[in-house]
Amino acid sequence: MRIGVCPGSFDPVTQGHIDIFERSSKLVDKLIVAVCENPAKHSLFSMETRAELIRRSVTHIPNIEVDFATGLLNDYVKSKNSHIIIRGLRALSDFEYEFQRALFAKYLDDDIETMFIMTNNKYSFVSSTGIRELAKFGGSLDGLVPEEVKLALESKFNGENNRSE
């Protein structure tokens, strides 16, 4: 069985992520979306909330599982009986960063392979950071995130924007 692991912070998951999940799920027997904590970032949503939002957004993909990954990604990938890491790319800057990460993974374990999947061009400008900023200032999220995510972001920021200072 070919098992692919698609790791990320997904804070929040976007339609660009969903597109990568849909397309990569056709290349493996089982796709594990691994929600990771990024120590360099302050997360808007907890890992549990991010995983739940992904689960609600991918019910149409039959061979997908959503899980949490902590620690070294290579160890997580091996624990899932996989040797495939799947990464989505939007731009050249993504490639440079992800290429370096892939080389580290390969250095640590020669059996690990990283597959890069280019985003659909209609999502090439969409990033979780941009989505959080757009949501914070009340911009339209239509078509950029799944409906569940849109509602969660609106709830999060409406509560924040309604507080007295």
Side-chain angles (χ1 to χ4, degrees):
M1 174 181 264
R2 287 171 307 160
I3 300 170
V5 175
C6 187
S9 54
F10 309 114
D11 189 35
V13 67
T14 69
Q15 290 293 49
H17 293 128
I18 302 298
D19 175 61
I20 296 295
F21 302 158
E22 289 169 345
R23 292 168 43 219
S24 59
S25 72
K26 296 174 185 171
L27 303 175
V28 294
D29 300 308
K30 179 179 177 181
L31 177 66
I32 301 171
V33 174
V35 178
C36 305
E37 200 62 57
N38 184 336
K41 295 180 182 177
H42 176 72
S43 298
L44 180 64
F45 293 110
S46 70
M47 286 180 74
E48 294 78 11
T49 299
R50 286 181 272 154
E52 185 56 31
L53 289 170
I54 295 168
R55 282 186 194 99
R56 290 188 209 157
S57 302
V58 297
T59 57
H60 64 288
I61 306 173
N63 62 331
I64 199 166
E65 173 186 316
V66 181
D67 194 19
F68 304 99
T70 58
L72 193 59
L73 181 60
N74 281 31
D75 293 341
Y76 176 82
V77 170
K78 286 295 193 180
S79 77
K80 296 299 180 179
N81 296 314
S82 178
H83 66 276
I84 303 168
I85 298 172
I86 299 171
R87 300 280 193 177
L89 299 176
R90 291 174 310 207
L92 188 57
S93 57
D94 285 348
F95 176 76
E96 290 176 28
Y97 176 74
E98 295 296 351
F99 183 67
Q100 187 175 39
R101 292 177 70 167
L103 291 175
F104 263 117
K106 193 74 166 160
Y107 172 79
L108 294 172
D109 187 335
D110 200 42
D111 291 334
I112 298 286
E113 297 295 342
T114 301
M115 291 178 22
F116 297 113
I117 298 182
M118 296 303 300
T119 189
N120 183 312
N121 65 354
K122 68 182 175 181
Y123 302 120
S124 63
F125 66 95
V126 179
S127 69
S128 294
T129 302
I131 293 297
R132 288 191 306 270
E133 186 174 321
L134 191 61
K136 180 175 180 132
F137 294 108
S140 174
L141 299 170
D142 293 337
L144 302 176
V145 295
E147 188 64 22
E148 298 82 358
V149 175
K150 178 182 169 187
L151 295 172
L153 285 164
E154 288 172 350
S155 174
K156 181 75 113 173
F157 287 115
N158 282 341
E160 185 177 292
N161 293 337
N162 290 332
R163 281 190 226 133
S164 301
E165 298 204 21

